[in-house]
Amino acid sequence: MEEKKESLNFIEQIITNDLETGKHEKIITRFPPEPNGYLHIGHAKSICLNFGLKETFKGKTNLRFDDTNPSKEETEYVESIMEDVKWLGFDWDNLYYASDYFDQLYDWAVMLIEQGKAYVDEQSPDKISEQRTNPTTNGIESPFRNRPIEESLKLFAEMKEGKHDEGSMVLRAKIDMNSPNMHMRDPIMYRIMKKHHHRTGDKWCIYPMYDYAHGQSDYIEGITHSICTLEFEVHRPLYDWFLDQIDTTGKRPRQIEFARLNLTYTVMSKRKLLDLVTNKYVSGWDDPRMPTVSGLRRRGYTPESIRNFAERIGVAKRENMIDVGLLEYMIREDLNKKANRYMGVLDPLKVVITNYPEDKTEEFDAKNNPEDETAGTRKVSFSNTIYIERDDFMEDAPNKFFRLKPGGEVRLRYAYFIKCENIIKDADGNITELHCTYDPESRGGQSPDGRKVKGTIHWVDSKTCVDAEVRLYDRLFLKENPDDLDENETYLDYLNPDSLQIITAKIENNLADAAVGTTVQFERKGYFCVDKDSNSDKQVWNRTVGLKDSWSKIAGK
RNA sequence: UGUCCGAUGGUGUAAUGGUAGCACUUGUGAUUUUGGUUCAUACAGUCAAGGUUCGAAUCCUUGUCGGACAACCA
């Protein structure tokens, strides 16, 4: 037997240890999105982490919507999030909402007031903020901090009943106004919000803050390891403080922080993604240029490729910036095995084969996927007029150019050798057509005399090919890190004006009826999938990613 | 000039006191009816200075650099 020693990331090590020491028998994790936007690739990392832990340690994972702020949250987001998690290939053991716990949270708040650990503060937000001062100076205690417990109890009940206006008072935990950790300077537990909640409707007009809801929700669900991103590290003492107040079982969740994903040439904050959508810089949350899960899905990424990506990038506590090229590598790797090959010409140049009978047509067998014999073969039609890629021809070609050039010979994939005899140009000198001759002996792409032809190019039969709209995507931003800005700059200054190029391509007729979502490789060009914008008049393809192109490197030198 | 966190090739991530490894990127070569794939091979790293130790990426001290925190957001 081969011993496979997988190296563990720091969270897996903690869990392994907790299991070995008997601290926990079973682990429970959770993915706790706020339903105020669509999931992005950074969330995918977190999902893969949390649900991956469940799989490797045979535990459980809950999906819990952190819906404590009704002013920003919507059902649309709840639905998209569930769809995305499922699409990524994960099942939650339980579906919960933080709002499920509003009653319990309220009771605990009353308990804290009764114990003198919370009070109603009637100061303005500005005043409260001002009294907290800054991390290097002591804070100032609120004049309401030591009001009678009964008074706080009464006011808190009135807050709940809607007797007070928004912003007029809040419930605060009484902790330490001099703490060097700002989150411990009497954090706000409840604020008044007279807003309709997507689940509880109009039952409540006070809502708990994140810090007062999150740890308790974990506790109620029996979460053992509560994994979040680094910016919550400073919240951990508060997370623990609130648990100290309610824990009677000794079984408490442990908050563990890891570094969020950053990708080159993109932005990842929900606020910025929302900006891009609402200001129409992109077509929507699922625009294929967006780093959202729905955008990647529409772009043609597979769940496997994203999961492999998450696996590859690892989990640690140091800030990181992952090259978007790694993501692209992952989808190529996956699609290379899965996608059937077809021929499609993105920038067509007409070629007439002068010694091929004008009325003749024939068919060749073509492999659907050289990486997968079981994918079978298909027939591709051929005639005297075909289209080839415009950049597969060069009038003044360097030695290393293996494609078509004047007097040169090239192989048409699966068809014949052709030789370029004549170049036809228009009045402006643009090449409009090529006249070539073919070698009938080279049928199928081999020559009986054994002469070598270095180049093989793709083509389509002009008599049977179909037109299709192809959307070529490029990175949305020109700057590697659009968040790294000088003063007076915004990330929008670095939007790539050429991130979308729409062209009309000619593709082989075998693809004429391809359904939305079909993913193929256009040989030598890249991976493409049929977009949902397709209809009976027009087929639309998205370029998922181009093939690795070592010629462009040589040509660029 | 507060508290907390972090620092390993260009980018990520392992090694948990005992040979610094893996992936991506990059270079070179082989194979190839996709300049794709595949295969081989090379380049390249422990933030710095002290200390502990037979032995330090790992432990200690100091420093340097980077990040987080001062919403009635999460």
Side-chain angles (χ1 to χ4, degrees):
Chain A
M1 281 296 280
E2 194 180 327
E3 193 181 336
K4 217 176 182 180
K5 211 173 186 181
E6 295 282 328
S7 65
L8 304 177
N9 65 47
F10 79 101
I11 296 175
E12 292 167 332
Q13 288 173 28
I14 290 171
I15 293 175
T16 301
N17 190 258
D18 287 347
L19 257 19
E20 280 173 357
T21 60
K23 180 178 178 188
H24 299 293
E25 286 174 7
K26 272 246 188 281
I27 64 149
I28 308 181
T29 59
R30 103 268 91 115
F31 175 63
E34 183 189 11
N36 69 342
Y38 280 61
L39 259 25
H40 54 61
I41 182 81
H43 294 111
K45 174 182 180 180
S46 173
I47 291 167
C48 291
L49 209 208
N50 279 293
F51 285 89
L53 257 15
K54 155 194 168 149
E55 283 166 13
T56 62
F57 294 99
K58 309 258 182 292
K60 289 184 175 177
T61 302
N62 295 341
L63 173 62
R64 180 174 75 234
F65 287 99
D66 224 333
D67 54 354
T68 56
N69 185 352
S71 67
K72 290 163 51 175
E73 295 150 7
E74 293 173 26
T75 309
E76 174 198 350
Y77 298 127
V78 170
E79 284 160 4
S80 76
I81 288 167
M82 292 198 281
E83 182 188 358
D84 288 348
V85 174
K86 281 190 230 161
W87 178 78
L88 281 169
F90 298 107
D91 278 317
W92 47 87
D93 291 275
N94 297 289
L95 173 64
Y96 293 129
Y97 296 80
S99 52
D100 294 342
Y101 313 131
F102 281 177
D103 285 301
Q104 173 65 264
L105 256 11
Y106 180 84
D107 291 345
W108 276 328
V110 170
M111 182 188 84
L112 288 186
I113 300 172
E114 286 168 344
Q115 294 174 352
K117 291 172 179 166
Y119 62 96
V120 171
D121 194 338
E122 295 176 55
Q123 299 183 103
S124 69
D126 284 349
K127 195 73 190 169
I128 290 174
S129 166
E130 188 189 312
Q131 289 169 347
R132 273 206 263 254
T133 67
N134 60 62
T136 55
T137 25
N138 284 165
I140 299 159
E141 294 188 356
S142 164
F144 297 99
R145 194 174 202 260
N146 294 308
R147 76 192 318 167
I149 287 171
E150 288 66 31
E151 211 172 287
S152 282
L153 244 20
K154 176 168 170 282
L155 286 170
F156 186 50
E158 290 176 5
M159 280 168 66
K160 183 192 178 196
E161 288 159 22
K163 291 189 179 165
H164 300 283
D165 294 335
E166 284 189 20
S168 62
M169 55 186 70
V170 292
L171 183 69
R172 289 227 258 171
K174 192 191 288 185
I175 306 182
D176 179 5
M177 287 305 290
N178 295 335
S179 171
N181 183 336
M182 297 299 284
H183 296 280
M184 302 298 272
R185 318 254 269 215
D186 288 12
I188 289 166
M189 295 165 61
Y190 273 93
R191 74 286 215 193
I192 299 171
M193 289 183 100
K194 299 189 172 170
K195 293 259 165 40
H196 187 83
H197 187 278
H198 75 116
R199 298 209 87 224
T200 59
D202 297 314
K203 177 178 176 185
W204 297 89
C205 55
I206 55 171
Y207 292 93
M209 300 287 289
Y210 165 86
D211 285 305
Y212 183 65
H214 201 91
Q216 289 87 329
S217 300
D218 286 340
Y219 181 76
I220 292 168
E221 293 176 22
I223 301 300
T224 54
H225 303 269
S226 179
I227 299 162
C228 61
T229 45
L230 248 28
E231 68 268 26
F232 291 100
E233 212 154 18
V234 274
H235 293 242
R236 186 162 13 109
L238 183 52
Y239 181 99
D240 289 332
W241 189 89
F242 279 128
L243 289 180
D244 285 342
Q245 313 311 315
I246 60 169
D247 177 32
T248 54
T249 65
K251 297 253 180 201
R252 294 169 47 160
R254 199 235 270 214
Q255 175 178 306
I256 303 168
E257 310 85 12
F258 73 100
R260 64 167 356 119
L261 167 66
N262 295 293
L263 257 193
T264 56
Y265 299 103
T266 192
V267 293
M268 209 69 93
S269 90
K270 273 199 215 172
R271 198 212 94 221
K272 286 174 185 150
L273 295 176
L274 180 63
D275 267 5
L276 292 170
V277 172
T278 52
N279 298 321
K280 306 265 200 274
Y281 292 107
V282 295
S283 65
W285 284 102
D286 68 346
D287 185 297
R289 292 165 294 181
M290 292 280 275
T292 49
V293 172
S294 51
L296 291 165
R297 176 166 61 230
R298 189 170 171 191
R299 176 82 170 250
Y301 276 77
T302 58
E304 292 78 12
S305 69
I306 294 173
R307 280 191 256 121
N308 291 341
F309 173 73
E311 180 67 28
R312 262 283 155 258
I313 60 176
V315 177
K317 290 194 75 160
R318 73 188 84 115
E319 303 280 341
N320 60 81
M321 175 69 78
I322 309 283
D323 189 338
V324 71
L326 184 62
L327 220 208
E328 295 175 343
Y329 171 83
M330 289 299 164
I331 186 59
R332 283 194 198 101
E333 180 187 63
D334 194 36
L335 259 22
N336 178 48
K337 294 175 295 190
K338 295 177 182 169
N340 281 169
R341 277 107 271 207
Y342 290 89
M343 292 197 281
V345 175
L346 302 185
D347 185 10
L349 173 61
K350 188 175 174 185
V351 172
V352 177
I353 298 160
T354 54
N355 62 337
Y356 192 90
E358 215 171 308
D359 53 357
K360 183 179 172 182
T361 59
E362 62 183 308
E363 289 185 322
F364 301 102
D365 287 317
K367 283 184 181 176
N368 285 331
N369 187 350
E371 302 295 316
D372 177 9
E373 284 303 320
T374 66
T377 63
R378 69 184 187 286
K379 303 282 188 191
V380 290
S381 78
F382 184 79
S383 74
N384 77 319
T385 312
I386 60 171
Y387 292 106
I388 66 167
E389 209 69 59
R390 188 164 283 273
D391 65 10
D392 280 339
F393 175 78
M394 264 184 104
E395 195 169 359
D396 295 304
N399 266 353
K400 285 190 173 173
F401 187 78
F402 305 145
R403 284 114 88 150
L404 197 59
K405 44 190 155 186
E409 202 171 29
V410 77
R411 173 168 37 235
L412 295 177
R413 173 134 239 223
Y414 298 124
Y416 292 107
F417 291 180
I418 58 168
K419 186 195 278 187
C420 176
E421 308 283 2
N422 227 308
I423 305 171
I424 315 296
K425 297 183 180 176
D426 65 13
D428 299 325
N430 301 310
I431 299 171
T432 55
E433 188 174 321
L434 258 27
H435 284 182
C436 296
T437 52
Y438 84 113
D439 174 5
E441 298 297 308
S442 65
R443 200 192 134 94
Q446 274 150 335
S447 58
D449 63 6
R451 71 180 187 276
K452 291 274 184 256
V453 170
K454 185 99 175 168
T456 301
I457 63 172
H458 62 280
W459 53 277
V460 292
D461 178 7
S462 75
K463 297 192 174 141
T464 59
C465 70
V466 294
D467 280 357
E469 176 177 317
V470 174
R471 298 175 180 173
L472 303 172
Y473 300 104
D474 197 358
R475 47 188 59 145
L476 234 197
F477 291 92
L478 295 167
K479 198 173 164 63
E480 185 166 288
N481 180 2
D483 290 322
D484 177 26
L485 300 168
D486 288 339
E487 273 182 72
N488 351 312
E489 284 185 330
T490 104
Y491 70 105
L492 294 171
D493 298 337
Y494 292 99
L495 265 177
N496 179 4
D498 302 317
S499 59
L500 170 59
Q501 193 195 343
I502 299 177
I503 60 170
T504 301
K506 297 198 177 289
I507 63 179
E508 67 177 86
N509 59 346
N510 292 307
L511 250 17
D513 299 319
V516 169
T518 304
T519 291
V520 306
Q521 181 193 108
F522 286 159
E523 291 216 31
R524 303 207 306 134
K525 285 281 124 184
Y527 297 97
F528 296 78
C529 67
V530 181
D531 189 76
K532 66 176 185 183
D533 283 350
S534 300
N535 56 45
S536 50
D537 307 325
K538 185 177 74 173
Q539 196 177 44
V540 178
W541 291 81
N542 295 319
R543 180 173 65 191
T544 307
V545 66
L547 255 29
K548 196 173 137 196
D549 180 7
S550 36
W551 164 246
S552 69
K553 272 177 210 158
I554 298 166
K557 280 177 183 169

